Amino acid sequence: MDDFYHSEDANNIVHLFYNADVMVYVEGEDDVPFWEVVFNSLAEYKVEVQEVGGSKELAKYIEELELGKLQGIIACDSDFEILKGSLPNPNIIRTYGYAIENSLICPSTILKVIRSVGKISAKNIPSQELGVWLSYFTRIMKNLVIYDVHNELNGLGISVVGDNCSKFFKSQKSHDVCETKVNEFIANIGFSVSQNEIDTIINLIGEIPRDFSDFIRGHFLFSAVSKFISASIKQINSKVSISNDALFGSLLLAFENNFDEEHKHYNYYSDAIKHLSIAA
C-alpha cells in the first residue's frame, strides 16, 4: 500500500478511489476529523482526508509535494513555522495555532463539553470560573512559551513544554497552575534567555496576528484543559468522569458545532483554503 501511495502515477488518481476531488494528507488519526470539519465547512470541492502514519511519513509527503510528484493537499500543525519565516507551499495548509488543539479549545467548546458530559444545567455552567482560570493559565504560561520558542529557533533540543502539564500544577489532581513550579523549572532549564532575546521573541510574536496562547503546544494545552473540565464536572456532579479519548471526541463535536464566522480562527482557515491550488 505504501508503494502505491508513493507512486507518482498513482498520486494523480488516488482521489478517484474515494469519489473525491482532491486528497488531503494529515499526520495522524486525531487530525482526520478536525480537518474534515474545516474542509467540509469551507471548501467548495469534495476532499478525502487520509492519515499517513506519523510525522516522519508526513515529511515524505511534503518532500514529494515540493518536488511536484504529489498531487493533493497536506494539512498539518503549524508548530513554530510561522516564527521561522518559512515560505509556505501553496498546497500546504497549517493550523492557526501550534496544533489542532489550539483551534479545538476555546471557552465555548470547553463549556459545551462541561455541560453535556457533566449533565449540568445552564445556571451551573462555570463561565466566570473558566474565564479566570484561562486568564491565569495563559499569563503564567507566557514565560514557558518564550523559552520554548527560543529553544526551537536556536535548535537547543531541550524539552521545555512536553505533552503533559501536571508538573506545573499544584498537584497531580489539581487544576490550579503553580507559578512557583513554573519559575523553578525555568531557573533550572539548562539554558538562559537574555532580556534582549526575550524582547525579540515578544516583538516577533507581536508582529503576527497571534496571541502567546496560540503557541502553547497542543497536547500540553489539552492536558491542562482536561484538568479544568474534570474538576468542574466532579465539583457539580461527582458521579461523572471522562477519559481523555472521550474528552477529545467531545471537544471535536463541540468544535464542529461552533465552527462558524463567530469562531476566532474561522476567517484564517477560510482564507487559507481559498489560496490552495487545486488541479482541475
Side-chain angles (χ1 to χ4, degrees):
M1 185 63 71
D2 285 343
D3 290 339
F4 174 77
Y5 284 117
H6 285 282
S7 162
E8 185 174 348
D9 291 335
N11 283 331
N12 295 328
I13 61 170
V14 65
H15 61 282
L16 299 177
F17 287 91
Y18 299 99
N19 192 31
D21 297 308
V22 64
M23 295 294 296
V24 176
Y25 299 102
V26 300
E27 181 177 325
E29 61 181 2
D30 288 346
D31 302 295
V32 173
F34 172 81
W35 287 108
E36 284 180 341
V37 170
V38 172
F39 275 93
N40 290 341
S41 299
L42 298 170
E44 297 179 353
Y45 43 84
K46 184 178 180 181
V47 303
E48 172 67 20
V49 183
Q50 182 179 88
E51 64 155 314
V52 301
S55 59
K56 290 183 179 179
E57 286 300 312
L58 190 64
K60 296 177 184 177
Y61 279 73
I62 291 175
E63 182 179 1
E64 291 181 358
L65 184 70
E66 298 282 4
L67 293 173
K69 296 181 179 180
L70 177 70
Q71 290 187 9
I73 298 167
I74 291 174
C76 55
D77 291 343
S78 286
D79 300 330
F80 292 125
E81 290 303 309
I82 194 171
L83 298 179
K84 297 177 181 178
S86 304
L87 292 175
N89 184 292
N91 271 30
I92 296 178
I93 179 172
R94 294 185 179 273
T95 51
Y96 179 92
Y98 186 93
I100 64 171
E101 288 86 354
N102 301 75
S103 289
L104 287 176
I105 294 170
C106 63
S108 59
T109 57
I110 294 172
L111 293 175
K112 280 182 181 294
V113 170
I114 291 173
R115 183 175 184 183
S116 61
V117 174
K119 303 173 184 177
I120 296 169
S121 65
K123 65 180 180 180
N124 289 325
I125 296 297
S127 302
Q128 291 185 342
E129 293 88 340
L130 174 60
V132 172
W133 183 87
L134 281 174
S135 177
Y136 186 70
F137 173 76
T138 54
R139 181 176 70 81
I140 299 304
M141 288 300 114
K142 182 175 180 178
N143 280 340
L144 272 182
V145 169
I146 289 172
Y147 273 72
D148 200 19
V149 170
H150 178 85
N151 173 70
E152 178 71 19
L153 297 184
N154 291 279
L156 302 182
I158 295 175
S159 177
V160 178
V161 178
D163 290 344
N164 193 300
C165 69
S166 292
K167 65 183 177 183
F168 298 117
F169 282 64
K170 291 183 178 179
S171 70
Q172 287 291 322
K173 295 183 178 180
S174 173
H175 67 289
D176 295 320
V177 66
C178 179
E179 185 172 9
T180 299
K181 287 185 177 180
V182 171
N183 291 336
E184 288 177 350
F185 176 82
I186 289 175
N188 297 283
I189 202 169
F191 64 89
S192 61
V193 183
S194 69
Q195 186 59 52
N196 184 58
E197 290 169 326
I198 290 174
D199 292 340
T200 298
I201 292 172
I202 291 174
N203 291 334
L204 183 62
I205 293 177
E207 291 173 354
I208 57 178
R210 300 290 188 280
D211 298 324
F212 269 86
S213 59
D214 294 317
F215 293 97
I216 298 175
R217 293 179 184 258
H219 290 167
F220 182 91
L221 178 63
F222 174 81
S223 70
V225 168
S226 68
K227 283 179 172 290
F228 179 86
I229 291 175
S230 296
S232 298
I233 292 174
K234 189 168 292 186
Q235 185 176 2
I236 301 171
N237 188 348
S238 60
K239 297 179 181 179
V240 177
S241 61
I242 183 171
S243 68
N244 281 340
D245 285 341
L247 173 57
F248 188 84
S250 296
L251 283 169
L252 271 168
L253 288 174
F255 170 72
E256 183 172 18
N257 187 55
N258 282 11
F259 190 59
D260 55 26
E261 292 86 349
E262 299 299 318
H263 191 284
K264 181 180 177 182
H265 301 172
Y266 183 88
N267 289 336
Y268 165 82
Y269 288 112
S270 178
D271 291 341
I273 285 179
K274 288 176 183 177
H275 285 90
L276 292 172
S277 175
I278 307 303

